[in-house]
Amino acid sequence: MKINTILAVGACAGILFTTSCQPSMKERQLKYTHTTQVDGDAYLALQTIGAKVPYETDYATYVENNSSVGENRALAAKVRATLGEMIVDLDTLATRYNVDFPIRGAKQFEAGNQNHSVAVADSTVAHPVMTNSDVSDEHYAHHVQHEVAVIKDHFTRLSRNTNKDLRDYAASKLEALSTLYKDAGGKEEAGGHH
């Protein structure tokens, strides 16, 4: 009887040892198929927001340092402060739910390039690069208003997501985005988008 107990314990220990050393099926699926742990709406929101926030932060830094209009510099400082703090949080959320971050193929802000036909080529996507001549000093507030409205719309949708972490994070940022939208000259209508 004693030998049977030793063999059973040894077999259980062997099974436990071999299964704990190998990656689980879920880990292998995430690694090899690039699936995520969020639904389609959350994936789209993280991709869109993740592409826009770094671009707008870099653009705001450029405007803040180089604009001749004081109002634009003040608005750029608010944009940089509001959106800049989101980059680390978005990276953390994207990593937690297996969404690629930073977004591959996303537009990069390039201040010195005046050529409108330049494109950033990636193995997956090519996007035209916007330059400082695309949005002049007179149109910076309108540009910010439009981009923040898009980001805010995705955060609004994300605030109703089934994933509690994403929902809570999005809800916590909506007020700051609304304030930034109003600072850029946007008017929020009751029941309207932007």
Side-chain angles (χ1 to χ4, degrees), residues 146-180:
H146 179 266
E147 296 302 317
V148 169
V150 171
I151 293 169
K152 192 176 126 210
D153 183 51
H154 281 286
F155 267 94
T156 302
R157 292 174 190 215
L158 206 54
S159 70
R160 295 185 298 260
N161 197 280
T162 57
N163 184 314
K164 183 173 177 12
D165 290 339
L166 296 174
R167 183 176 61 232
D168 292 344
Y169 177 73
S172 71
K173 297 299 179 186
L174 278 175
E175 186 176 336
L177 289 169
S178 293
T179 302
L180 184 59

Side-chain angles (χ1 to χ4, degrees), residues 29-42:
Q29 180 184 11
L30 293 171
K31 180 178 178 183
Y32 296 119
T33 63
H34 299 289
T35 58
T36 66
Q37 296 175 341
V38 295
D39 60 9
D41 291 336

Side-chain angles (χ1 to χ4, degrees), residues 4-14:
N4 288 340
T5 306
I6 292 173
L7 288 175
V9 169
C12 289

